Amino acid sequence: MLDIKLIRDNPDLVRQAFEKRGESAPLDQIINLDEQRRRLLHEMETLRAQRNEVSKELGKIADKPPQLIADMRKLGERVTYLEAEICRVESELEDLLLRLPNIPAADVPVGKDAQDNITVRSRGEPAQFSFTPLPHWELGEKLDIIDFQRGAKLSGSRFYVLKGHGARLQRALINFMLDLHIKEHGYTEIYPPFMVKRECMVGSSNLPKFADNLYHDEVDDFWFVPTAEVPLTNMHRDEILPPGTLPLYYVAYTACFRREKMAAGKDTRGIKRGHQFDKVELYKFTEPENSDQELDRLVKDAEDVCGHLGIPYRVVQLCTGDLGFAAIKSFDIEMWAPGCEEWLEVSSCSNCGDFQARRANIRYRPEPKAKPSFLNTLNGSGLALPRVFIALLENYQQADGTIKVPEVLKPYMGTEVIKRS
RNA sequence: GGAGGGGUCGCAUAGUGGUCUAGUGCGGGCGCCUGCUAAGCGCUUUCCCUGGGUAACUGGGGACGAGGGUUCGAAUCCCUCCCCCUCCGCCA
C-alpha cells in the first residue's frame, strides 16, 4: 500500500510512476475521499471533545440538568452518524488504496512488457549433446519417475505424481536448497502453515486484487498459500521490532497452490506449471537504506543454487511494465532447459520497499526511543522446484536415457545415476 | 465438539458505571547520593489518527483480545466472534 500522504502531496509523481507500469489509477477519487475523510473526522472529533468535557462535569454534579442531557443525546446522535459516514468513506478509500501497485524504483528500466526486460548476466555454457536431448516429460515417463496419468486420475489436469527416484529427487532438492541457504547464506529456517487467514493475504498483497488465483476454504475462511512469501511476510505482522533486530533472513519450504486459469494448451505439457508445486523461498526484512544492496545479495544467494547444481542460467532485470504488483525492483533467474529448449523462470527476486510493511503493519525502531517506522521486505525463490527438476533432468540426461546426479545432490539421492528401476 | 477458567501499559498484577488523565510492582531510561559497587531517593516509560510548528514540541480524538450494543458517560453492563489454559470426547 502506498502512503496516502504521498498521493495527497505528490499526485503527479504517483501518476507518472503508474504510467511507467502501463497502469492508470483513480487518483482523483482517492484524493477526494481522503479530503472527505479528514473533514468528517474533524467535525466528529470536535463534538467528541465537547461531549467529553460535559460528561466530566456531569460526573461531579448530583442533580443532572435534564436539558443538558438531552443536548448531549442529540450530540451523540450526530457523532454516531459521522462515525458511520467515516467508516463508509474509509472502507471505500482503503479498497481503492489496496488495489494500487507499488512505485518502481528510479533505476528500473522503463519498458512495456517482458520483451523489454534486460539480461544482466549469464553463467555456464549450455551442455553439448551427441544426441537430441529429450524434453523432461519424455524422460520422466521413460524412467518411470513422473506419472502424469495417475496425477490426472487423482486430481485432474495440471497434477502429476512423482515416483521412486523422482520423488527422491524432489526431496533431495528441497533439502539441498534449505541446507545451502541455512549453512552458507545465513538464513533461518521456517516451517509455516500452508493455509492462512484472509488478512495475511491482504498483507502480502495477494488480496483483494488477485483472489482469482487463490484456493480458498469457504467454511473456515482459510486461504491456501500460493508461495511461502505470504506466511513469511506475516510472521511479524502488527509488530514493532526492537533496535538491532534487522536484518532478518528467513528461508522456508512450502507447497504452493495456484488456481492458474491459463488458456488451455499453454504450458500444459510436463510439470512446468501445475496447481500445486514446491518451492524454497528466501525472505528478508531490512532497513530501508539497505534494501537495494540486500536485493543484490538475495539474487546472488538464489543464483548460488544454480551454480552448485551446474546448470546454465541467466539473470534478467524486469522492466517497469513487467514488474509485479508489490515490487519496486525485480530480477528473474532463468535456467536453460535443452530438451524443451526454453529459458525457465526458476526465481523472481523482488524488493517490495515498504509496500507490504504498510499493508501488514510491520515496523522497526531504528534507535532506542526513536519513532517506529516501516521496514522493507524482499522475497525471492531459492528456487522453485518443478522448473529446477526439469532443468536438471534435461541438462544431465545421457545417451542411454539415464540421468547423472550432480555432485552436490549425491548425498541426498544416495545414487549416482537416475535410471529405470 | 463439550464443560470450566482467562486475555488490562515490555513483564506481573489492581481495577464491577464518573474520583481512570488506567494504579502498583518489576524491568528499562535519566538524575541525585556514593571513594567504587550495591542499596536508597526523585523523575520518567506505549501506539494510531488529525490539526498547528522547519524543528525540539504542542492542541484534539482514539486504543484495556476483536467487533457491535446500552448510556450524557464503559476497562467495568449486554450480544457476537477470536485466541490461550485446564479437564472430557475424538483423532494422525
Side-chain angles (χ1 to χ4, degrees):
Chain A
M1 192 154 67
L2 297 181
D3 187 356
I4 182 67
K5 291 184 191 111
L6 179 73
I7 300 172
R8 191 188 293 157
D9 298 337
N10 300 64
D12 291 333
L13 188 145
V14 175
R15 204 183 311 272
Q16 283 160 23
F18 289 165
E19 274 167 22
K20 285 191 201 166
R21 278 182 171 271
E23 294 208 26
S24 61
L27 292 185
D28 293 333
Q29 199 185 342
I30 287 170
I31 290 166
N32 185 19
L33 285 167
D34 175 51
E35 270 166 22
Q36 268 188 61
R37 171 177 173 270
R38 283 185 295 155
R39 187 165 41 76
L40 293 167
L41 209 54
H42 179 76
E43 185 185 349
M44 181 188 70
E45 286 178 357
T46 309
L47 293 179
R48 284 221 273 233
Q50 208 175 318
R51 181 174 69 183
N52 287 346
E53 203 167 323
V54 173
S55 289
K56 208 170 176 181
E57 291 305 312
L58 279 173
K60 293 177 189 164
I61 337 173
D63 297 324
K64 323 284 191 202
Q67 184 57 47
L68 200 51
I69 294 209
D71 287 350
M72 285 304 106
R73 184 175 294 136
K74 206 154 197 175
L75 186 146
E77 279 163 16
R78 178 70 183 164
V79 168
T80 305
Y81 165 77
L82 288 168
E83 280 169 352
E85 273 301 283
I86 289 165
C87 183
R88 188 182 61 75
V89 170
E90 276 184 346
S91 66
E92 204 177 323
L93 179 62
E94 189 187 56
D95 189 61
L96 291 175
L97 284 174
L98 286 174
R99 287 166 192 278
L100 296 184
N102 205 351
I103 290 174
D107 59 345
V108 172
V110 177
K112 196 160 162 286
D113 53 34
Q115 305 263 307
D116 297 324
N117 293 345
I118 293 167
T119 301
V120 292
R121 61 180 166 271
S122 302
R123 293 284 184 274
E125 289 301 315
Q128 297 301 312
F129 294 93
S130 57
F131 55 97
T132 309
L134 296 175
H136 69 281
W137 54 85
E138 288 187 29
L139 291 165
E141 288 195 314
K142 283 186 169 150
L143 292 163
D144 194 28
I145 59 173
I146 308 176
D147 187 339
F148 294 101
Q149 284 182 1
R150 291 203 173 83
K153 175 159 80 178
L154 297 181
S155 306
S157 70
R158 293 193 189 281
F159 286 92
Y160 51 87
V161 172
L162 298 179
K163 185 180 167 191
H165 278 148
R168 182 79 182 258
L169 177 59
Q170 179 88 338
R171 189 156 55 87
L173 284 167
I174 294 165
N175 286 333
F176 159 67
M177 290 179 193
L178 285 172
D179 284 345
L180 179 70
H181 296 307
I182 295 158
K183 290 176 188 162
E184 314 227 341
H185 304 145
Y187 290 76
T188 302
E189 184 173 359
I190 302 287
Y191 179 87
F194 292 7
M195 297 188 289
V196 296
K197 297 196 244 184
R198 171 182 298 269
E199 50 262 49
C200 293
M201 287 294 178
V202 175
S204 58
S205 77
N206 296 81
L207 285 178
K209 209 175 169 188
F210 305 104
D212 286 355
N213 298 325
L214 300 172
Y215 288 105
H216 177 218
D217 162 50
E218 304 274 347
V219 179
D220 295 312
D221 198 28
F222 281 131
W223 297 75
F224 288 56
V225 302
T227 158
E229 178 194 344
V230 176
L232 291 177
T233 302
N234 286 276
M235 283 280 290
H236 298 290
R237 178 158 50 87
D238 293 323
E239 288 183 23
I240 299 171
L241 303 178
T245 311
L246 298 179
L248 287 172
Y249 299 165
Y250 291 149
V251 59
Y253 155 77
T254 68
C256 303
F257 305 94
R258 297 187 185 180
R259 184 157 257 131
E260 302 285 7
K261 299 187 304 178
M262 296 281 303
K266 184 152 194 258
D267 291 337
T268 47
R269 295 212 76 173
I271 63 169
K272 182 180 166 190
R273 191 181 294 274
H275 290 306
Q276 174 190 320
F277 65 98
D278 285 358
K279 185 154 61 70
V280 170
E281 181 78 359
L282 304 172
Y283 203 92
K284 292 185 174 186
F285 297 88
T286 77
E287 296 184 284
E289 54 271 32
N290 298 331
S291 66
D292 196 48
Q293 73 195 54
E294 289 282 8
L295 176 62
D296 290 338
R297 287 186 47 196
L298 182 74
V299 175
K300 296 250 162 61
D301 293 338
E303 279 181 72
D304 204 22
V305 178
C306 309
H308 276 85
L309 291 174
I311 295 171
Y313 69 93
R314 65 183 186 185
V315 178
V316 173
Q317 177 165 24
L318 302 194
C319 71
T320 52
D322 202 26
L323 218 48
F325 183 75
I328 66 172
K329 188 175 179 180
S330 296
F331 294 93
D332 281 2
I333 300 173
E334 300 177 342
M335 277 182 172
W336 175 248
C340 49
E341 296 186 292
E342 218 184 318
W343 287 100
L344 297 172
E345 183 186 322
V346 293
S347 179
S348 190
C349 302
S350 301
N351 182 357
C352 294
D354 63 6
F355 191 78
Q356 291 177 321
R358 282 182 191 284
R359 294 171 81 108
N361 190 30
I362 316 165
R363 291 170 295 164
Y364 76 107
R365 211 179 290 280
E367 305 285 336
K369 298 262 177 192
K371 273 188 57 172
S373 55
F374 292 109
L375 47 73
N376 281 12
T377 60
L378 299 88
N379 68 82
S381 334
L383 306 162
L385 265 287
R387 311 248 170 113
V388 175
F389 195 107
I390 293 170
L392 197 144
L393 291 193
E394 295 188 6
N395 278 285
Y396 281 93
Q397 59 182 304
Q398 305 180 97
D400 63 358
T402 62
I403 313 289
K404 213 175 96 188
V405 174
E407 204 57 42
V408 291
L409 290 184
K410 281 180 188 165
Y412 296 96
M413 284 298 289
T415 178
E416 308 234 325
V417 170
I418 297 172
K419 56 187 175 203
R420 199 179 170 96
S421 53

Coordinates of all heavy atoms in Angstrom, one line a residue, chain A residues 231-292:
Chain A
P231 N 3.0 -16.4 4.2 CA 3.2 -16.6 5.6 C 4.5 -15.8 6.2 O 4.5 -15.3 7.3 CB 3.3 -18.1 5.9 CG 3.6 -18.6 4.5 CD 3.0 -17.7 3.5
L232 N 5.5 -15.8 5.4 CA 6.8 -15.1 5.8 C 6.5 -13.7 6.0 O 7.0 -13.1 7.0 CB 7.9 -15.4 4.9 CG 8.4 -16.9 4.9 CD1 9.5 -17.1 3.8 CD2 8.9 -17.3 6.2
T233 N 5.9 -13.0 5.1 CA 5.5 -11.6 5.2 C 4.8 -11.3 6.6 O 5.1 -10.4 7.3 CB 4.6 -11.1 4.1 OG1 5.3 -11.3 2.9 CG2 4.3 -9.6 4.2
N234 N 3.9 -12.3 6.9 CA 3.1 -12.0 8.0 C 3.6 -12.5 9.4 O 3.0 -12.3 10.4 CB 1.7 -12.7 7.8 CG 0.9 -11.9 6.8 OD1 0.2 -10.9 7.1 ND2 1.0 -12.3 5.5
M235 N 4.8 -13.1 9.3 CA 5.5 -13.5 10.6 C 5.5 -12.4 11.6 O 5.3 -12.6 12.8 CB 6.9 -13.9 10.3 CG 7.1 -15.3 9.6 SD 6.9 -16.7 10.8 CE 8.4 -16.5 11.7
H236 N 5.8 -11.2 11.1 CA 5.9 -10.0 12.0 C 4.8 -9.0 11.8 O 5.0 -7.8 12.1 CB 7.3 -9.4 11.9 CG 8.4 -10.4 12.2 ND1 8.6 -10.8 13.5 CD2 9.3 -11.0 11.4 CE1 9.6 -11.6 13.5 NE2 10.1 -11.8 12.3
R237 N 3.7 -9.4 11.3 CA 2.6 -8.5 11.1 C 2.2 -7.9 12.5 O 2.2 -8.6 13.5 CB 1.4 -9.3 10.6 CG 0.1 -8.4 10.4 CD -0.8 -9.0 9.3 NE -1.1 -10.4 9.6 CZ -2.1 -10.9 10.4 NH1 -2.9 -10.0 11.0 NH2 -2.2 -12.2 10.6
D238 N 1.9 -6.6 12.5 CA 1.5 -5.8 13.7 C 2.5 -5.9 14.8 O 2.2 -6.0 15.9 CB 0.1 -6.4 14.2 CG -1.0 -6.1 13.3 OD1 -1.0 -5.0 12.7 OD2 -1.9 -7.0 13.1
E239 N 3.8 -5.9 14.4 CA 4.8 -5.9 15.4 C 5.7 -4.6 15.2 O 5.8 -4.1 14.1 CB 5.7 -7.1 15.2 CG 5.1 -8.4 15.7 CD 6.0 -9.6 15.6 OE1 7.2 -9.4 15.6 OE2 5.5 -10.7 15.5
I240 N 6.4 -4.2 16.3 CA 7.4 -3.2 16.2 C 8.7 -3.9 16.6 O 8.9 -4.3 17.8 CB 7.1 -2.0 17.1 CG1 5.8 -1.3 16.7 CG2 8.3 -1.0 17.1 CD1 5.3 -0.3 17.7
L241 N 9.6 -4.1 15.7 CA 10.8 -4.8 16.0 C 11.8 -3.9 16.7 O 12.0 -2.8 16.3 CB 11.5 -5.4 14.7 CG 10.6 -6.3 13.9 CD1 11.3 -6.7 12.6 CD2 10.1 -7.5 14.7
P242 N 12.4 -4.4 17.9 CA 13.3 -3.5 18.6 C 14.6 -3.2 17.9 O 14.9 -4.0 17.0 CB 13.6 -4.4 19.9 CG 13.1 -5.7 19.6 CD 12.2 -5.7 18.5
P243 N 15.3 -2.2 18.3 CA 16.6 -1.8 17.6 C 17.5 -3.0 17.6 O 17.5 -3.8 18.6 CB 17.1 -0.7 18.5 CG 15.9 -0.1 19.2 CD 15.0 -1.3 19.4
G244 N 18.2 -3.2 16.5 CA 19.2 -4.2 16.4 C 18.7 -5.5 15.9 O 19.4 -6.5 15.7
T245 N 17.4 -5.6 15.6 CA 16.8 -6.8 15.1 C 17.1 -7.1 13.7 O 17.3 -8.2 13.3 CB 15.2 -6.8 15.3 OG1 14.9 -6.4 16.6 CG2 14.6 -8.2 15.0
L246 N 17.1 -6.0 12.9 CA 17.3 -6.1 11.4 C 18.7 -6.2 11.1 O 19.6 -5.7 11.8 CB 16.6 -4.9 10.7 CG 15.1 -4.8 11.0 CD1 14.6 -3.6 10.3 CD2 14.4 -6.0 10.5
P247 N 19.0 -6.9 10.0 CA 18.1 -7.6 9.1 C 17.7 -8.9 9.5 O 18.5 -9.6 10.3 CB 18.9 -7.7 7.8 CG 20.3 -7.8 8.2 CD 20.4 -7.0 9.5
L248 N 16.6 -9.4 9.1 CA 16.2 -10.8 9.4 C 16.1 -11.6 8.0 O 15.6 -11.1 7.1 CB 14.8 -10.8 10.0 CG 14.6 -10.4 11.4 CD1 13.1 -10.3 11.8 CD2 15.3 -11.4 12.4
Y249 N 16.7 -12.7 8.0 CA 16.7 -13.6 6.8 C 16.0 -14.9 7.1 O 16.4 -15.6 8.0 CB 18.2 -13.9 6.4 CG 19.1 -12.8 6.1 CD1 20.5 -13.0 6.0 CD2 18.6 -11.5 5.8 CE1 21.3 -12.0 5.7 CE2 19.4 -10.5 5.5 CZ 20.8 -10.7 5.4 OH 21.7 -9.7 5.1
Y250 N 14.9 -15.1 6.4 CA 14.2 -16.4 6.6 C 14.2 -17.2 5.3 O 14.2 -16.6 4.2 CB 12.7 -16.1 6.9 CG 12.5 -15.5 8.3 CD1 11.5 -14.6 8.5 CD2 13.4 -15.8 9.4 CE1 11.2 -14.1 9.8 CE2 13.1 -15.3 10.6 CZ 12.1 -14.4 10.8 OH 11.9 -13.8 12.1
V251 N 14.2 -18.5 5.5 CA 14.1 -19.4 4.3 C 13.0 -20.4 4.7 O 13.0 -21.0 5.8 CB 15.4 -20.1 3.9 CG1 16.0 -20.9 5.0 CG2 15.2 -21.0 2.7
A252 N 12.1 -20.7 3.8 CA 11.0 -21.7 4.1 C 10.7 -22.5 2.9 O 10.7 -22.0 1.8 CB 9.8 -20.9 4.5
Y253 N 10.5 -23.8 3.2 CA 10.0 -24.7 2.1 C 8.5 -24.7 2.4 O 8.0 -24.8 3.5 CB 10.5 -26.1 2.3 CG 9.5 -27.1 1.7 CD1 9.5 -27.3 0.3 CD2 8.7 -27.8 2.5 CE1 8.5 -28.1 -0.2 CE2 7.7 -28.7 2.0 CZ 7.7 -28.8 0.6 OH 6.7 -29.7 0.1
T254 N 7.7 -24.6 1.3 CA 6.3 -24.9 1.4 C 5.8 -25.4 0.0 O 6.4 -25.2 -1.0 CB 5.3 -23.6 1.6 OG1 5.4 -22.8 0.5 CG2 5.7 -22.9 2.8
A255 N 4.7 -26.2 0.1 CA 4.0 -26.4 -1.1 C 3.3 -25.1 -1.5 O 3.0 -24.3 -0.6 CB 2.9 -27.5 -0.9
C256 N 3.0 -24.9 -2.8 CA 2.3 -23.7 -3.2 C 1.1 -24.1 -4.1 O 1.2 -25.0 -4.9 CB 3.3 -22.8 -4.1 SG 4.8 -22.4 -3.3
F257 N 0.0 -23.3 -3.9 CA -1.2 -23.7 -4.6 C -1.7 -22.5 -5.4 O -1.9 -21.4 -4.8 CB -2.3 -24.1 -3.6 CG -1.8 -25.2 -2.7 CD1 -1.2 -24.9 -1.4 CD2 -1.9 -26.5 -3.0 CE1 -0.7 -25.9 -0.6 CE2 -1.4 -27.6 -2.2 CZ -0.9 -27.3 -1.0
R258 N -1.9 -22.7 -6.7 CA -2.3 -21.6 -7.6 C -3.4 -22.1 -8.5 O -3.3 -23.2 -9.1 CB -1.1 -21.1 -8.4 CG -0.1 -20.5 -7.4 CD 1.0 -19.7 -8.2 NE 2.0 -19.3 -7.2 CZ 3.1 -18.6 -7.6 NH1 3.4 -18.3 -8.8 NH2 4.0 -18.2 -6.6
R259 N -4.4 -21.2 -8.6 CA -5.5 -21.6 -9.5 C -5.1 -21.6 -11.0 O -5.6 -22.5 -11.7 CB -6.7 -20.7 -9.2 CG -7.9 -21.1 -10.0 CD -9.2 -20.5 -9.3 NE -9.9 -21.5 -8.5 CZ -10.3 -21.4 -7.3 NH1 -10.0 -20.3 -6.7 NH2 -10.9 -22.4 -6.7
E260 N -4.3 -20.7 -11.4 CA -3.7 -20.7 -12.8 C -4.8 -20.9 -13.8 O -4.9 -22.0 -14.5 CB -2.7 -21.9 -12.9 CG -1.6 -21.8 -12.0 CD -0.5 -20.8 -12.3 OE1 -0.8 -20.0 -13.3 OE2 0.5 -20.8 -11.7
K261 N -5.6 -19.9 -14.0 CA -6.7 -20.0 -15.0 C -6.1 -19.7 -16.4 O -6.5 -18.8 -17.1 CB -7.8 -19.0 -14.7 CG -8.5 -19.3 -13.4 CD -9.7 -18.5 -13.3 CE -9.3 -17.0 -13.4 NZ -10.5 -16.1 -13.3
M262 N -5.1 -20.5 -16.8 CA -4.4 -20.2 -18.1 C -5.2 -20.7 -19.2 O -6.0 -21.6 -19.1 CB -3.1 -21.0 -18.1 CG -2.1 -20.6 -17.0 SD -1.2 -19.1 -17.5 CE -0.5 -19.6 -19.0
A263 N -4.9 -20.1 -20.4 CA -5.5 -20.5 -21.6 C -5.2 -22.0 -21.8 O -4.0 -22.4 -21.6 CB -5.0 -19.7 -22.8
A264 N -6.2 -22.8 -22.2 CA -5.9 -24.2 -22.4 C -4.8 -24.4 -23.5 O -4.8 -23.6 -24.5 CB -7.2 -24.9 -22.9
G265 N -3.9 -25.3 -23.3 CA -2.9 -25.5 -24.4 C -1.6 -24.9 -24.1 O -0.6 -25.3 -24.6
K266 N -1.6 -23.9 -23.2 CA -0.3 -23.2 -22.9 C 0.4 -23.9 -21.7 O -0.3 -24.1 -20.7 CB -0.5 -21.7 -22.6 CG 0.8 -21.0 -22.4 CD 0.7 -19.5 -22.8 CE 2.1 -18.9 -22.9 NZ 2.5 -18.1 -21.7
D267 N 1.6 -24.2 -21.8 CA 2.3 -24.8 -20.7 C 1.6 -26.1 -20.2 O 1.7 -26.3 -19.0 CB 2.6 -23.8 -19.6 CG 3.5 -22.7 -20.0 OD1 4.3 -23.0 -20.9 OD2 3.5 -21.7 -19.4
T268 N 0.9 -26.8 -21.0 CA 0.2 -27.9 -20.4 C 1.1 -29.2 -20.4 O 0.8 -30.1 -19.6 CB -1.0 -28.3 -21.3 OG1 -0.7 -28.3 -22.6 CG2 -2.1 -27.2 -21.0
R269 N 2.1 -29.3 -21.2 CA 2.9 -30.5 -21.2 C 3.9 -30.4 -20.0 O 4.5 -29.3 -19.7 CB 3.7 -30.6 -22.5 CG 2.8 -30.8 -23.7 CD 3.4 -31.7 -24.7 NE 3.4 -33.1 -24.3 CZ 3.9 -34.1 -25.1 NH1 4.3 -33.8 -26.3 NH2 3.8 -35.4 -24.7
G270 N 4.1 -31.5 -19.4 CA 5.1 -31.6 -18.4 C 4.7 -31.0 -17.1 O 3.5 -30.8 -16.8
I271 N 5.7 -30.7 -16.3 CA 5.5 -30.2 -14.9 C 5.8 -28.8 -14.7 O 5.9 -28.3 -13.5 CB 6.3 -31.1 -13.9 CG1 7.8 -30.9 -14.1 CG2 5.9 -32.6 -14.0 CD1 8.7 -31.5 -13.0
K272 N 5.9 -28.0 -15.8 CA 6.3 -26.6 -15.6 C 5.3 -25.8 -14.9 O 5.7 -24.9 -14.1 CB 6.5 -26.0 -17.0 CG 6.9 -24.6 -17.0 CD 7.1 -24.0 -18.4 CE 7.2 -22.5 -18.4 NZ 7.2 -21.9 -19.7
R273 N 4.0 -26.0 -15.1 CA 3.0 -25.2 -14.4 C 1.9 -26.0 -13.9 O 1.1 -26.6 -14.7 CB 2.5 -24.2 -15.5 CG 1.6 -23.1 -14.9 CD 1.1 -22.1 -15.9 NE 2.2 -21.4 -16.6 CZ 2.7 -20.2 -16.1 NH1 2.2 -19.7 -15.0 NH2 3.6 -19.6 -16.8
G274 N 1.8 -26.2 -12.6 CA 0.8 -27.0 -12.0 C 0.0 -26.2 -11.0 O 0.3 -25.1 -10.7
H275 N -1.1 -26.8 -10.5 CA -1.9 -26.2 -9.4 C -1.2 -26.3 -8.1 O -1.5 -25.5 -7.2 CB -3.3 -26.7 -9.4 CG -4.1 -26.4 -10.6 ND1 -4.3 -25.1 -11.0 CD2 -4.8 -27.1 -11.5 CE1 -5.0 -25.1 -12.1 NE2 -5.4 -26.3 -12.4
Q276 N -0.3 -27.3 -8.0 CA 0.4 -27.5 -6.7 C 1.9 -27.7 -7.1 O 2.2 -28.4 -8.0 CB -0.1 -28.7 -6.0 CG 0.8 -29.1 -4.8 CD 0.4 -30.4 -4.2 OE1 -0.8 -30.8 -4.1 NE2 1.4 -31.2 -3.8
F277 N 2.8 -26.9 -6.4 CA 4.2 -27.2 -6.7 C 5.0 -26.8 -5.4 O 4.4 -26.2 -4.5 CB 4.7 -26.4 -7.9 CG 4.6 -24.8 -7.7 CD1 5.8 -24.1 -7.3 CD2 3.5 -24.1 -7.9 CE1 5.8 -22.8 -7.1 CE2 3.4 -22.8 -7.7 CZ 4.6 -22.1 -7.3
D278 N 6.2 -27.2 -5.4 CA 7.0 -27.0 -4.2 C 8.0 -25.8 -4.4 O 8.4 -25.6 -5.6 CB 7.8 -28.2 -3.8 CG 7.0 -29.3 -3.2 OD1 5.8 -29.0 -3.0 OD2 7.5 -30.4 -2.9
K279 N 8.3 -25.1 -3.4 CA 9.3 -24.0 -3.6 C 10.0 -23.8 -2.2 O 9.4 -23.9 -1.2 CB 8.5 -22.8 -4.0 CG 9.4 -21.6 -4.3 CD 8.7 -20.6 -5.3 CE 7.4 -20.0 -4.8 NZ 7.6 -19.1 -3.7
V280 N 11.3 -23.4 -2.4 CA 12.0 -22.9 -1.2 C 12.1 -21.4 -1.4 O 12.5 -20.9 -2.5 CB 13.4 -23.5 -1.2 CG1 14.3 -22.8 -0.2 CG2 13.3 -25.0 -0.9
E281 N 11.7 -20.7 -0.4 CA 11.5 -19.2 -0.6 C 12.5 -18.5 0.4 O 12.6 -18.8 1.5 CB 10.1 -18.8 -0.3 CG 9.8 -17.3 -0.4 CD 9.6 -16.9 -1.8 OE1 9.7 -17.7 -2.8 OE2 9.4 -15.7 -2.0
L282 N 13.2 -17.5 -0.2 CA 14.0 -16.6 0.6 C 13.3 -15.3 0.9 O 12.6 -14.8 0.1 CB 15.3 -16.3 -0.1 CG 16.1 -17.5 -0.6 CD1 17.3 -17.0 -1.6 CD2 16.7 -18.2 0.5
Y283 N 13.5 -14.9 2.2 CA 12.7 -13.7 2.6 C 13.6 -12.8 3.5 O 14.3 -13.3 4.4 CB 11.4 -14.1 3.3 CG 10.4 -13.0 3.2 CD1 9.4 -12.9 2.2 CD2 10.4 -11.9 4.2 CE1 8.5 -11.9 2.1 CE2 9.5 -10.9 4.1 CZ 8.5 -10.9 3.1 OH 7.6 -9.9 3.0
K284 N 13.5 -11.5 3.3 CA 14.3 -10.6 4.2 C 13.5 -9.4 4.7 O 12.7 -8.9 3.9 CB 15.5 -10.0 3.3 CG 16.6 -11.0 2.9 CD 17.7 -10.2 2.3 CE 18.9 -11.2 2.0 NZ 20.0 -10.5 1.4
F285 N 13.7 -9.1 5.9 CA 13.2 -7.9 6.5 C 14.4 -7.0 6.7 O 15.4 -7.4 7.4 CB 12.5 -8.1 7.8 CG 11.3 -9.0 7.8 CD1 11.4 -10.3 7.9 CD2 10.0 -8.4 7.6 CE1 10.3 -11.1 7.8 CE2 8.9 -9.2 7.6 CZ 9.0 -10.6 7.7
T286 N 14.4 -5.8 6.1 CA 15.6 -4.9 6.2 C 15.3 -3.5 6.5 O 14.1 -3.1 6.4 CB 16.5 -4.9 4.9 OG1 15.8 -4.1 4.0 CG2 16.6 -6.3 4.4
E287 N 16.3 -2.7 6.9 CA 16.1 -1.3 7.0 C 16.0 -0.7 5.6 O 16.7 -1.2 4.7 CB 17.3 -0.7 7.8 CG 17.3 -1.2 9.2 CD 18.4 -0.5 10.0 OE1 19.5 -0.9 9.8 OE2 18.0 0.4 10.8
P288 N 15.2 0.3 5.4 CA 15.0 0.9 4.0 C 16.3 1.2 3.3 O 16.5 1.0 2.1 CB 14.2 2.1 4.3 CG 13.5 1.9 5.6 CD 14.4 1.0 6.4
E289 N 17.3 1.8 4.1 CA 18.5 2.2 3.4 C 19.4 1.1 2.9 O 20.3 1.3 2.1 CB 19.3 3.2 4.3 CG 19.7 2.6 5.7 CD 18.6 2.9 6.7 OE1 17.4 3.0 6.3 OE2 18.9 3.1 7.9
N290 N 19.1 -0.1 3.4 CA 19.9 -1.3 2.9 C 19.2 -2.2 1.9 O 19.9 -3.1 1.4 CB 20.3 -2.1 4.2 CG 21.1 -1.4 5.2 OD1 21.8 -0.4 4.8 ND2 21.0 -1.7 6.4
S291 N 18.0 -1.9 1.6 CA 17.2 -2.9 0.9 C 17.7 -3.1 -0.5 O 17.7 -4.2 -1.1 CB 15.7 -2.6 0.9 OG 15.5 -1.4 0.2
D292 N 18.3 -2.1 -1.1 CA 18.7 -2.2 -2.5 C 19.9 -3.2 -2.6 O 20.0 -4.1 -3.4 CB 19.1 -0.8 -3.1 CG 19.2 -0.9 -4.6 OD1 18.3 -1.4 -5.2 OD2 20.2 -0.4 -5.1

